[in-house]
Amino acid sequence: GESVGLHLPTLSVQEGDNSIINCAYSNSASDYFIWYKQESGKGPQFIIDIRSNMDKRQGQRVTVLLNKTVKHLSLQIAATQPGDSAVYFCAEKTPGTYKYIFGTGTRLKVLA
Amino acid sequence: SQTIHQWPATLVQPVGSPLSLECTVEGTSNPNLYWYRQAAGRGLQLLFYSVGIGQISSEVPQNLSASRPQDRQFILSSKKLLLSDSGFYLCAWSVLVSGAYNSPLHFGNGTRLTVT
């Protein structure tokens, strides 16, 4: 269903530090998870994905961690840059459905 | 490579007027197509999805409808817009990979609709 709340949670980090964005997903049967970055006025952009048979996956400067026991997903961004400032969403997909369900989103602000 | 086009980018419409938003995908066949809506400062609400021509699944009963007249074309419509229809409308596509797994959703750049 739709996220609630007019004010997105915000994470402020110093440029050059590492960022960790967290997401609690809703369905224990979900087997596919995706992180997106959305800049103002644009559509969400794919960052990285992970399937439930893995607990960690790394990309360029990003790492996704999956903890199925507590239904938790995190996105780690190394050496955060001003261009990383955006809203970040996690999404989950359950096998046997075509629906991708999105989390509420977190705004990342990078401080110079 | 695959691309997705949405138009128009912005739209201002009076209450009670009709709506037609169009989305097309290039570079892939038989995609799954989606319409999401995003209210200001909120997450993404799934409105409709389609797994084939003429096949539409509606997620939220409302003032909108969707159609898929061609494999790579997805249209969002309304006969009479309400103020509450204002929002950021996003089209997206996915495909099956490796025969069983879905790809990530890939989004267009959205249409900002303001109903006045």
Side-chain angles (χ1 to χ4, degrees):
Chain A
E2 185 179 8
S3 311
V4 296
L6 289 175
H7 300 286
L8 294 170
T10 299
L11 173 67
S12 296
V13 298
Q14 207 68 36
E15 181 179 355
D17 287 352
N18 296 335
S19 303
I20 300 176
I21 301 171
N22 296 304
C23 176
Y25 63 91
S26 59
N27 191 337
S28 57
S30 293
D31 68 346
Y32 181 47
F33 306 89
I34 315 163
W35 279 102
Y36 289 90
K37 173 186 180 183
Q38 187 178 27
E39 296 174 297
S40 181
K42 296 185 178 180
Q45 177 186 9
F46 169 78
I47 302 173
I48 192 168
D49 57 1
I50 188 168
R51 302 199 185 276
S52 58
N53 59 352
M54 303 173 70
D55 52 22
K56 180 179 180 179
R57 191 166 186 221
Q58 290 183 291
Q60 186 177 11
R61 276 202 312 120
V62 294
T63 300
V64 55
L65 298 178
L66 175 62
N67 186 330
K68 295 182 287 292
T69 302
V70 294
K71 294 191 291 186
H72 184 266
L73 194 66
S74 69
L75 177 70
Q76 301 177 3
I77 304 174
T80 311
Q81 303 169 358
D84 295 326
S85 292
V87 177
Y88 289 79
F89 290 98
C90 65
E92 62 181 296
K93 186 182 175 301
T94 305
T97 76
Y98 292 95
K99 296 188 283 187
Y100 298 71
I101 304 301
F102 284 76
T104 53
T106 297
R107 186 178 306 279
L108 176 65
K109 288 188 177 179
V110 182
L111 308 173
Chain B
S1 64
Q2 302 93 347
T3 55
I4 179 169
H5 303 279
Q6 263 189 265
W7 66 93
T10 59
L11 190 60
V12 180
Q13 290 284 104
V15 168
S17 64
L19 173 73
S20 181
L21 301 181
E22 191 162 342
C23 170
T24 60
V25 179
E26 296 177 358
T28 187
S29 297
N30 197 28
N32 299 323
L33 297 173
Y34 300 78
W35 281 110
Y36 282 83
R37 177 170 61 198
Q38 187 175 31
R42 293 196 175 196
L44 285 80
Q45 178 188 27
L46 178 60
L47 302 176
F48 302 95
Y49 66 92
S50 170
V51 301
I53 297 173
Q55 299 179 58
I56 307 295
S57 295
S58 173
E59 285 300 296
V60 183
Q62 57 201 315
N63 188 40
L64 301 169
S65 62
S67 62
R68 184 170 178 174
Q70 300 181 47
D71 181 44
R72 290 169 287 176
Q73 183 185 28
F74 206 22
I75 297 171
L76 184 69
S77 303
S78 174
K79 292 182 179 178
K80 289 185 178 182
L81 284 168
L82 306 172
L83 285 175
S84 58
D85 291 323
S86 293
F88 192 44
Y89 288 83
L90 290 156
C91 182
W93 66 270
S94 73
V95 291
L96 282 175
V97 294
S98 304
Y101 297 110
N102 284 93
S103 72
L105 277 179
H106 301 277
F107 287 88
N109 274 327
T111 295
R112 175 80 55 196
L113 172 65
T114 304
V115 182
T116 60

